[in-house]
């Protein structure tokens, strides 16, 4: 009888143990470390790749290329216009966000002033979708193009057309903008791809919110991924009307271009007068458009945003560059603040906890000096424009020197602090995955708990 009871108890324990490791049960209640890592990496790569809306590359007639040269050309085009911007977006998403904001504000200015009928037309212009060509017969596959081939001569590409040239040609009646559907046809992205990215990003964000709602901890890698996902979502929404992955511009055979406008002459003078230091540093802060005269170039710079509009636009004294920088700094602070979600997470060591806290503070606070400078600059211009000698004197001899000293101190410290914060948070996010994680990390979200029960 005793042996029978012992055997029955052992059988019950085995059955309970089998229930605990039943795959169908575990799959619903727990998640594995590989699933966490693959989900985060897939979300980061997917959001980053699909959020990029690049400018149109240099047009090249590939019909004359040999197979080897054609492959080499396509590889170089992919590296320059695909892989390199992708890496930049991974390393510095805020910088790409500022580029997207600048383009969106330029397009908003063009639409608001009646220069273009739709935002899609405006984006297609500032991304150099129109390229000036000269009619010139060129050899193709060892023979010259002739009239009886039935194919239009490709022509000789001269230079991209900026927004000034395109709008002037349209106003003069020498060129007509294509229909919006034709521009859409050149885009390699459709509503299905866009919806898929939004669903994937939304699903990841929903999981993070649900885990916090059920008091389940997030890994530091998931917090970093959440920041990337939301930041890329901002970029994606800003570029929603911009055609994606346009490989060839529309050829424009317009002959001689109109006389340069005053803005174009100023840009050309700035480009010719700029030294190598200025040309090296201006792309860092996103002001390279002031030194980019497209008539003097064969192709559009990768991060060209369309040249800033004149200063009489609706924001008056607040220039486009400053406004875009201020918005980027505000959104960048929000990106850093997301890392505070893991402030009270169970870290394996006190050192990792301190590093994460320090990195979160640095990433969030690094943008505040930029926000202050973006506000002080237009405010200083406003004070200097007041018809009051006392106010002008205070602005010139007190506020301006203080702002100058603050700028000289903060400008080098801001990128250093931000990079240090980014490195610390990534370091901790990787270290936590290599060390034993708390059991709560592996608990899955129980979505049935959100369904009202009667």
């Amino acid at each position: 009888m005793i042996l029978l009871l012992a055997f029955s108890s052992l059988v019950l324990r085995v059955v309970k143990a089998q229930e605990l490791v039943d795959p169908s049960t575990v799959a619903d209640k727990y998640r594995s470390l590989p699933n966490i890592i693959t989900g985060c990496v897939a979300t980061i790569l997917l959001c980053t790749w699909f959020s990029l809306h690049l400018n149109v590359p240099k047009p090249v007639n590939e019909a004359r290329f040999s197979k080897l040269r054609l492959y080499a050309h396509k590889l170089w085009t992919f590296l320059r216009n695909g892989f390199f911007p992708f890496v930049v977006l991974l390393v510095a998403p805020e910088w790409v966000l500022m580029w997207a904001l600048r383009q969106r504000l330029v397009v908003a200015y063009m639409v608001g002033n009646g220069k273009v009928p739709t935002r899609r037309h405006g984006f297609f212009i500032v991304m150099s979708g129109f390229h000036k060509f000269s009619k010139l017969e060129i050899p193709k596959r060892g023979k010259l193009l002739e009239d009886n081939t039935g194919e239009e001569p490709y022509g000789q590409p001269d230079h991209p057309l900026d927004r000034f040239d395109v709008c002037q040609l349209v106003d003069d009646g020498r060129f007509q903008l294509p229909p919006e559907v034709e521009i859409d046809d050149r885009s390699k992205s459709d509503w299905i791809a866009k919806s898929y990215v939004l669903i994937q990003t939304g699903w990841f964000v929903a999981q993070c919110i649900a885990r916090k709602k059920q008091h389940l901890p997030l890994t530091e890698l998931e917090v970093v991924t959440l920041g990337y996902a939301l930041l890329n979502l901002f970029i994606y929404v800003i570029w929603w009307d911009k055609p994606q992955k346009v490989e060839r511009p529309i050829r424009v055979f317009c002959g001689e271009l109109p006389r340069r406008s005053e803005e174009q002459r100023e840009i050309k003078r700035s480009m010719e007068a700029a030294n190598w230091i200025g040309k090296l540093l201006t792309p860092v802060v996103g002001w390279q458009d002031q030194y980019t005269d497209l008539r003097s170039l064969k192709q559009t710079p990768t991060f060209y945003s369309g040249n800033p509009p004149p200063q009489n636009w609706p924001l008056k004294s607040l220039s486009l560059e400053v406004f875009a920088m201020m918005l980027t700094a505000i959104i960048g602070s929000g990106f850093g603040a997301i890392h505070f979600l893991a402030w009270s997470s169970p870290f394996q060591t006190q050192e990792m906890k301190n590093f994460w806290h320090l990195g979160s503070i640095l990433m969030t606070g690094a943008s505040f000096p930029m926000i202050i400078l973006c506000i002080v600059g237009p405010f200083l211009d406003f004070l200097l424009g007041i018809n009051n000698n006392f106010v002008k004197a205070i602005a010139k001899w007190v506020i301006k020197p203080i702002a100058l000293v603050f700028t000289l101190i903060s400008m080098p410290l801001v990128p250093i602090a931000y990079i240090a914060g980014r490195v610390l948070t990534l370091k901790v996010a990787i270290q936590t995955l290599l060390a034993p994680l708390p059991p709560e990390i592996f608990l899955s979200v129980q979505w049935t708990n959100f369904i009202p029960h009667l």
Side-chain angles (χ1 to χ4, degrees), residues 431-450:
Q431 282 184 328
T432 52
L433 298 178
L434 300 177
L437 294 171
E440 296 82 4
I441 289 290
F442 299 102
L443 291 175
S444 298
V445 174
Q446 300 301 310
W447 295 101
T448 55
N449 294 343
F450 295 101

Side-chain angles (χ1 to χ4, degrees), residues 347-411:
F347 294 88
Q348 288 87 342
T349 63
Q350 185 64 33
E351 181 186 38
M352 295 169 62
K353 183 177 182 179
N354 294 338
F355 280 161
W356 183 267
H357 289 178
L358 178 60
S360 302
I361 294 173
L362 289 175
M363 291 179 63
T364 306
S367 300
F368 280 96
M370 302 302 298
I371 299 174
I372 294 174
L373 289 176
C374 292
I375 296 174
V376 170
F379 180 69
L380 184 60
D381 293 338
F382 171 75
L383 293 180
L384 291 174
I386 294 178
N387 190 17
N388 187 302
N389 293 332
F390 177 75
V391 174
K392 286 184 177 180
I394 293 296
K396 183 177 181 179
W397 301 108
V398 179
I399 300 178
K400 190 173 182 178
I402 294 176
L404 181 60
V405 173
F406 183 77
T407 302
L408 294 175
I409 295 175
S410 61
M411 287 301 288

Side-chain angles (χ1 to χ4, degrees), residues 85-340:
F86 175 74
V87 173
V88 172
L89 183 53
L90 277 177
V91 176
E94 296 86 354
W95 195 86
V96 178
L97 173 65
M98 184 168 64
W99 169 38
L101 279 171
R102 284 168 54 84
Q103 279 198 334
R104 180 59 183 258
L105 292 174
V106 170
V107 171
Y109 168 80
M110 295 172 65
V111 175
N113 286 269
K115 300 294 184 181
V116 292
T118 65
R119 285 195 297 266
R120 196 168 295 274
H121 285 94
F123 271 119
F124 197 73
I125 292 174
V126 299
M127 67 188 288
S128 297
F130 299 101
H131 202 101
K132 182 181 180 300
F133 272 68
S134 298
K135 290 187 177 181
L136 177 65
E137 291 187 349
I138 56 177
K140 178 184 178 184
R141 296 194 182 109
K143 64 178 181 179
L144 292 174
L145 287 172
E146 300 176 356
D147 293 338
N148 59 3
T149 60
E151 183 178 343
E152 179 187 4
Y154 185 75
Q156 176 66 36
D158 294 333
H159 59 78
L161 294 174
D162 59 20
R163 62 183 182 88
F164 305 103
D165 287 334
V166 174
C167 294
Q168 189 60 49
L169 289 173
V170 173
D171 292 340
D172 294 343
R174 299 172 55 189
F175 178 68
Q176 284 187 330
L177 294 175
E180 188 175 5
V181 292
E182 185 174 331
I183 297 177
D184 290 338
D185 187 62
R186 289 179 174 267
S187 178
K188 302 301 188 296
S189 177
D190 54 16
W191 66 271
I192 297 178
K194 292 182 177 181
S195 300
Y196 175 73
V197 174
L198 293 178
I199 291 173
Q200 173 68 21
T201 305
W203 173 245
F204 184 85
V205 173
Q207 285 183 312
C208 294
I209 295 175
R211 291 190 68 82
K212 281 297 180 181
K213 187 69 175 178
Q214 295 186 1
H215 306 288
L216 297 176
L218 292 168
T219 63
E220 284 68 28
L221 181 61
E222 287 177 304
V223 176
V224 172
T225 304
L226 179 62
Y228 267 102
L230 293 178
L231 199 58
N232 279 281
L233 185 60
F234 271 108
I235 297 174
Y236 203 73
V237 171
I238 292 171
W239 271 336
W240 185 266
D241 294 309
K242 183 179 179 181
Q244 190 177 30
K245 298 179 182 178
V246 179
E247 297 180 356
R248 296 184 182 276
I250 294 178
R251 297 174 300 159
V252 179
F253 296 93
C254 58
E256 186 177 354
L257 289 174
R259 188 178 179 181
R260 291 178 185 267
S261 63
E262 180 58 35
E263 293 89 348
Q264 287 175 304
R265 289 194 293 269
E266 180 62 29
I267 292 170
K268 184 174 177 59
R269 287 193 294 266
S270 300
M271 182 178 179
E272 294 174 347
N275 53 28
W276 67 272
I277 298 178
K279 293 180 180 179
L280 182 64
L281 294 180
T282 49
V284 177
V285 294
W287 293 357
Q288 71 276 6
D289 293 356
Q290 299 179 10
Y291 306 94
T292 304
D293 176 43
L294 292 187
R295 289 195 186 186
S296 305
L297 302 175
K298 291 295 184 182
Q299 67 181 50
T300 304
T302 302
F303 301 107
Y304 176 78
S305 58
N307 278 322
Q311 297 302 315
N312 60 348
W313 70 311
L315 292 175
K316 304 297 181 183
S317 62
L318 187 59
S319 66
L320 181 144
E321 292 92 344
V322 175
F323 186 65
M325 184 178 295
M326 183 173 64
L327 285 179
T328 303
I330 293 173
I331 298 175
S333 294
F335 172 70
I338 291 176
H339 294 74
F340 283 92

Side-chain angles (χ1 to χ4, degrees), residues 56-87:
V56 182
K58 177 182 177 181
V60 177
N61 185 14
E62 300 173 353
R64 298 184 297 168
F65 289 177
S66 63
K67 288 187 177 181
L68 181 60
R69 187 181 177 187
L70 179 62
Y71 293 148
H73 170 71
K74 289 186 176 295
L75 177 61
W76 168 247
T77 302
F78 169 75
L79 293 176
R80 185 185 186 277
N81 301 303
F83 182 74
F84 171 67
F86 175 74
V87 173

